[in-house]
Amino acid sequence: MTLTAASLIKTATGFYEAQALYAAVELGVFSKVADGPVPYERLRDDLGLHQNVAGDFLDALVAMRLLTRDAAGYGPTAAARAYLTPGAPEYIGGFLALNQRRLYPAWGDLTSFLKTAANLAHGAKVDDPMPALYATPQRTRSFAEGMDGYATLLGRPISEKFDWSSVKSFADLGGCRGMLTTRIAAAHPHLEGVTFDLAPLNPLFDELVASTDLGTRVRFQAGSFFSDPLPETEVYVIGHVLHDWVESQRRQIIQRAYDHLPAGGALLIYDSMIDDKREESAFGLLMSLNMALLSGSSEYTIAQGEGWLREVGFQVDRPVALNELTTLLIGRKPL
């Protein structure tokens, strides 16, 4: 694609759309219109918007293909109904709220970061950012709801693009409050699943499972994948985990997974991996900067991930695209 001055200006002002989307989620726009069109005046007043700016804001959401507008008022588009309406099966609003609260401010002075590499964890003087995220029940819930968005979108492709037919059990290592575990288990009724993560997430796991009919097919096991015994199972899933850690820790996690798996078991790793030539994956490269900003870690190339798997003895399948942002690697422990 040829870049023009106009396209560069659109890139430079991309935060306009991001902030409009964040504000719409924060204000509850999509909840207000979930049941059908709402007249302009009523929607403006229900949202508490100032009359001088409400029209431009709502019409911008129409132009962004998030709202419809007709004689009856404003309503949701199919995409907004599917992904932005609270309670929808594929709701990602929690992830967007996490971006607004935590990620957007972190990117506010990228130039300074690029010169100093002083990330948020460094500024807080912590080596492991995870305990800080779970310091209070409110922070734990906010982070878990943010992670739900990604897990919700990836539950279906992981359920479909890996052959679960001969597997009886799996565990999601670093699985937060269990959104991915419940999605995979629901898609394959013969499976039993474990979410393995830190203890503060256990109550939120119980809350989530109580809203399903999965019964005793899923459970939570508290622990650290660096030091505690891993669940006994046939398949481990490690998603959006390796990018939280430096290379030596990634190797340690993969080695422990290999050691704990039975012969014939499998390790599934997914992240926003970078193409091996580092030329095409703009999202992956920018996500790598994002991880550096947050914790001093990074994304990695597909070849690097495959190399770590092979180092410890896994046989590696061809990479699988779960969506346009996420790559899945499958390592199989020889029989």
Side-chain angles (χ1 to χ4, degrees):
M1 182 182 70
T2 301
L3 290 178
T4 65
S7 61
L8 291 173
I9 289 172
K10 288 187 69 175
T11 298
T13 57
F15 65 92
Y16 293 4
E17 289 199 13
Q19 287 289 60
L21 175 57
Y22 295 156
V25 171
E26 184 177 6
L27 289 165
V29 170
F30 305 106
S31 297
K32 297 293 184 183
V33 301
D35 295 329
V38 179
Y40 165 73
E41 291 82 2
R42 194 176 97 203
L43 183 59
R44 178 197 65 198
D45 293 345
D46 286 351
L47 296 172
L49 304 180
H50 194 284
Q51 61 182 3
N52 289 354
V53 294
D56 283 351
F57 173 62
L58 295 173
D59 289 343
L61 297 178
V62 173
M64 291 166 62
R65 305 296 186 265
L66 299 176
L67 291 180
T68 62
R69 186 190 65 221
D70 57 25
Y74 292 89
T77 61
R81 192 179 295 279
Y83 305 124
L84 300 175
T85 303
E90 296 189 309
Y91 178 66
I92 63 169
F95 177 72
L96 299 179
L98 180 66
N99 273 261
Q100 181 185 25
R101 288 192 309 271
R102 189 161 184 256
L103 307 188
Y104 191 86
W107 280 76
D109 192 4
L110 180 62
T111 301
S112 175
F113 168 74
L114 293 172
K115 292 181 177 182
T116 65
N119 56 63
L120 296 187
H122 178 269
K125 298 182 179 179
V126 296
D127 295 324
D128 182 351
M130 297 305 163
L133 294 174
Y134 306 141
T136 67
Q138 182 179 1
R139 294 187 71 177
T140 302
R141 181 175 293 276
S142 294
F143 181 73
E145 289 177 350
M147 293 301 96
D148 281 353
Y150 252 131
T152 294
L153 292 183
L154 294 173
R156 183 181 300 172
I158 291 176
S159 296
E160 295 174 350
K161 296 187 178 186
F162 178 75
D163 183 5
W164 297 94
S165 60
S166 61
V167 176
K168 294 181 181 178
S169 63
F170 71 97
D172 186 8
L173 306 184
C176 205
R177 71 160 173 172
M179 183 63 76
L180 186 70
T181 302
T182 59
R183 293 298 172 105
I184 295 173
H188 298 281
H190 69 285
L191 287 176
E192 294 185 354
V194 179
T195 295
F196 182 84
D197 215 317
L198 300 179
L201 291 156
N202 199 340
L204 296 180
F205 173 89
D206 293 340
E207 177 185 299
L208 175 64
V209 173
S211 68
T212 73
D213 59 358
L214 294 174
T216 58
R217 286 205 293 123
V218 296
R219 63 182 178 86
F220 188 92
Q221 181 174 326
S224 163
F225 35 60
F226 292 114
S227 57
D228 295 312
L230 301 182
E232 298 296 327
T233 190
E234 298 169 77
V235 174
Y236 290 138
V237 181
I238 301 179
H240 293 145
V241 167
L242 294 188
H243 73 182
D244 289 326
W245 308 98
V246 298
E247 187 169 331
S248 60
Q249 293 168 310
R250 296 168 184 173
R251 285 190 161 100
Q252 183 181 355
I253 294 168
I254 292 171
Q255 181 69 65
R256 294 198 78 222
Y258 184 88
D259 292 343
H260 280 77
L261 281 170
L267 172 59
L268 279 58
I269 295 174
Y270 65 84
D271 264 316
S272 297
M273 297 178 202
I274 301 166
D275 67 287
D276 293 336
K277 292 184 178 180
R278 296 174 60 87
E279 295 176 348
E280 302 295 332
S281 306
F283 182 84
L285 289 161
L286 292 171
M287 179 61 83
S288 193
L289 279 176
N290 183 67
M291 299 310 301
L293 274 163
L294 295 178
S295 62
S297 56
S298 67
E299 295 293 343
Y300 48 92
T301 66
I302 294 170
Q304 284 177 303
E306 292 173 328
W308 299 327
L309 288 167
R310 290 193 177 101
E311 273 179 11
V312 302
F314 282 111
Q315 298 169 345
V316 183
D317 292 3
R318 291 176 61 87
V320 176
L322 294 178
N323 57 31
E324 59 267 37
L325 306 178
T326 312
T327 300
L328 172 69
L329 297 180
I330 301 171
R332 300 183 188 274
K333 187 171 180 177
L335 291 169

